[in-house]
Amino acid sequence: MRRFGRKLIRCILLVLALNLSLVSFTSQAKASDNTFYDMKARAAYAIDAQTGQVLYQKNAKKTYPIASLTKILTLAVIEQDIKEHKLSWDQKIKVTPAVAKVANDWHFSNVQLNAGEQYSVRQLVESMMLVSADGSTEALALADAGSTAAFNRKMQAVAKKAGVTDAKIYNMIGLPNSSLGTHRLKNVDKDAENEMSAKDLALVSKYVINKYPETLKITKKKFANFDVTAGQQYQMVNINALLPQNGYAPKDWEIDGLKTGNTDAAGKCIVTTGTYAGHRVILVALHTKGDWNNQSKMQKEFYEALAANYQPVALNKITDLPKQVQRARVVHAKKQRYVRLQLAKPQWVWVRKGEYWPATKPKFVPATAKQSVTGRLKAPLKKGQSVGHVELQIQGMPAVKVPVTSSQTVAVRSFWN
């Protein structure tokens, strides 16, 4: 009897183990089916910079420490103030002893800055973006705004212009608050670090690239000389390993930016951007797994997997899509039961290679404000009015929403008719 009991227990344990294995296998298969690439990172986000189409997302809306990716936002403020003639590229900035202390601390990323020496805004910006120089970043921000707190307010304002409303900003560099010494924020935790989401960083990057094209002229440089003193020059080497001819340059892509970052809390972070078939993609990854080489390898693999499996295709008119989304049922209308739809504007959509629009399973989704209690599109409608979107299911990618409008004016049925 005891022997039978032991055998029964072994059988039960074996069945449980098999079930757990099947669950694990199923979940892995599902993860594989839902995305064309698995970025080993705490959070990641990729978009088409022109259309805003989301190509990949992973914990994309959750905020995390972002380390030196902060400097993308810092650059946006500096370029804004240059455009508004509050600064100039050739303007000289005198380095204070406090800034020199940060610049020459081996714990941080830096080029040498000497107290009392003057450096141009262009020099400092190049060192900030190519080799992530912390001292140069601090020198720029303090010369621009006068204090860390004042520059933080400018960063918040620019972030809002980019569509970001909940960024936690403590300094211009991305270091823990205490690392700024005399320029740290008072009454703020010493370990406080800037936090944003992967999606927010993509929005900021998109904003600065589109608003200030000078950005990419800087970040695509592989080398630049930094004049430490009149007789001492330092050659900076861009730390972006994905630039053309570098070891991790992705095939068929032209990568020309953007920034890396690293702190204990943030881990290794990166934002890259480049073009393929005339389309710019922005890719963000926070707290990537492994070392710097692993991070660069993943970015390269992502870009190459995207180009191998997908292509941007022009969607020019509603008749390019199946007939079921070329018109929509409309309720409460005076005379007609259907309304013809049209695209709000032509747009490009990344789709799987070899697939046609019917494979995306298009579905019309009425705008919330134009839905009846049964979820139908309701009258009245004006010609050209936004009425919702057509949702496209792209295998391996998040769904795409294509805005549509009414091609007709539709009067509402009166109560008495």
Side-chain angles (χ1 to χ4, degrees):
M1 186 70 182
R2 289 179 182 174
R3 187 179 300 172
F4 174 77
R6 285 197 294 269
K7 285 184 178 180
L8 180 61
I9 290 171
R10 289 195 192 101
C11 288
I12 292 171
L13 290 174
L14 180 60
V15 170
L16 286 173
L18 286 171
N19 284 339
L20 286 171
S21 297
L22 287 171
V23 169
S24 175
F25 176 80
T26 302
S27 64
Q28 288 175 11
K30 186 176 181 181
S32 176
D33 290 342
N34 286 346
T35 181
F36 70 93
Y37 187 79
D38 183 17
M39 184 71 67
K40 303 297 184 184
R42 179 185 285 169
Y45 194 68
I47 58 169
D48 182 298
Q50 279 89 10
T51 67
Q53 180 184 350
V54 180
L55 309 175
Y56 183 84
Q57 57 186 2
K58 179 179 183 179
N59 296 330
K61 295 181 180 180
K62 189 172 180 180
T63 59
Y64 295 106
I66 60 170
S68 284
L69 301 188
T70 298
K71 291 165 184 169
I72 300 170
L73 183 54
T74 298
L75 178 61
V77 175
I78 297 301
E79 291 188 304
Q80 168 189 270
D81 288 351
I82 288 172
K83 190 172 183 179
E84 294 176 357
H85 306 293
K86 297 173 183 177
L87 289 174
S88 71
W89 288 110
D90 296 325
Q91 180 179 332
K92 296 287 186 177
I93 293 175
K94 188 175 182 179
V95 172
T96 65
V99 169
K101 184 177 180 180
V102 171
N104 300 318
D105 189 327
W106 66 270
H107 293 92
F108 307 137
S109 300
N110 271 312
V111 294
Q112 181 180 335
L113 299 180
N114 297 330
E117 197 80 40
Q118 295 188 34
Y119 304 93
S120 72
V121 168
R122 185 175 296 279
Q123 276 185 291
L124 295 172
V125 165
E126 286 183 346
S127 63
M128 174 177 73
M129 298 306 292
L130 270 62
V131 296
S132 201
D134 296 334
S136 298
T137 307
E138 189 175 41
L140 285 164
L142 295 176
D144 179 81
S147 70
T148 300
F151 194 78
N152 288 353
R153 289 192 288 273
K154 285 193 170 191
M155 293 172 75
Q156 289 281 9
V158 170
K160 286 181 180 178
K161 290 180 182 179
V164 179
T165 58
D166 58 350
K168 296 179 182 178
I169 302 296
Y170 300 105
N171 60 68
M172 69 296 285
I173 300 172
L175 290 170
N177 184 43
S178 61
S179 298
L180 271 72
T182 57
H183 293 132
R184 70 185 185 280
L185 294 182
K186 307 300 187 291
N187 302 317
V188 172
D189 189 276
K190 63 183 179 65
D191 296 323
E193 289 190 31
N194 299 341
E195 292 186 15
M196 293 175 68
S197 69
K199 179 181 179 180
D200 289 343
L201 281 163
L203 291 175
V204 169
S205 299
K206 180 175 180 284
Y207 176 84
V208 71
I209 289 168
N210 292 338
K211 186 83 172 177
Y212 308 110
E214 179 75 18
T215 298
L216 296 177
K217 293 180 181 179
I218 296 167
T219 58
K220 73 179 183 180
K221 289 184 178 182
K222 297 182 75 172
F223 307 99
N225 291 323
F226 189 91
D227 296 320
V228 180
T229 65
Q232 181 184 357
Q233 194 175 74
Y234 169 71
Q235 187 184 58
M236 299 181 293
V237 180
N238 196 325
I239 56 181
N240 186 346
L242 281 80
L243 295 178
Q245 288 81 54
N246 280 359
Y248 291 100
K251 181 183 177 183
D252 298 328
W253 288 80
E254 186 81 13
I255 304 298
D256 48 12
L258 200 55
K259 191 73 192 67
T260 61
N262 182 38
T263 64
D264 290 342
K268 294 173 179 62
C269 305
I270 188 167
V271 177
T272 56
T273 184
T275 55
Y276 169 82
H279 285 258
R280 176 168 297 283
V281 168
I282 296 170
L283 173 59
V284 181
L286 304 181
H287 209 302
T288 58
K289 187 176 181 180
D291 59 17
W292 290 113
N293 288 335
N294 287 338
Q295 182 185 73
S296 299
K297 182 173 179 285
M298 279 193 291
Q299 295 268 308
K300 169 186 167 69
E301 288 175 348
F302 177 91
Y303 284 115
E304 290 182 346
L306 177 61
N309 294 286
Y310 299 86
Q311 63 183 359
V313 176
L315 180 57
N316 293 314
K317 52 189 182 300
I318 195 74
T319 51
D320 291 339
L321 296 173
K323 287 185 177 180
Q324 70 264 24
V325 292
Q326 294 178 23
R327 66 175 191 166
R329 177 78 181 272
V330 59
V331 298
H332 309 320
K334 187 174 183 179
K335 294 181 179 180
Q336 60 215 76
R337 297 179 61 191
Y338 291 89
V339 62
R340 294 192 305 274
L341 302 176
Q342 60 188 11
L343 301 184
K345 62 178 181 180
Q347 71 177 70
W348 289 81
V349 180
W350 288 79
V351 296
R352 286 188 68 86
K353 288 184 175 179
E355 287 191 351
Y356 298 96
W357 294 116
T360 66
K361 301 176 182 177
K363 179 179 70 172
F364 171 63
V365 180
T368 302
K370 297 305 298 178
Q371 283 187 25
S372 68
V373 292
T374 59
R376 295 282 190 181
L377 183 64
K378 66 180 182 180
L381 303 173
K382 293 181 179 179
K383 184 178 181 179
Q385 179 183 6
S386 176
V387 293
H389 65 267
V390 172
E391 185 174 280
L392 307 178
Q393 300 294 331
I394 312 296
Q395 184 182 345
M397 285 186 177
V400 178
K401 296 179 180 180
V402 180
V404 292
T405 62
S406 171
S407 69
Q408 306 163 261
T409 293
V410 179
V412 67
R413 183 178 69 239
S414 72
F415 176 76
W416 303 106
N417 289 342

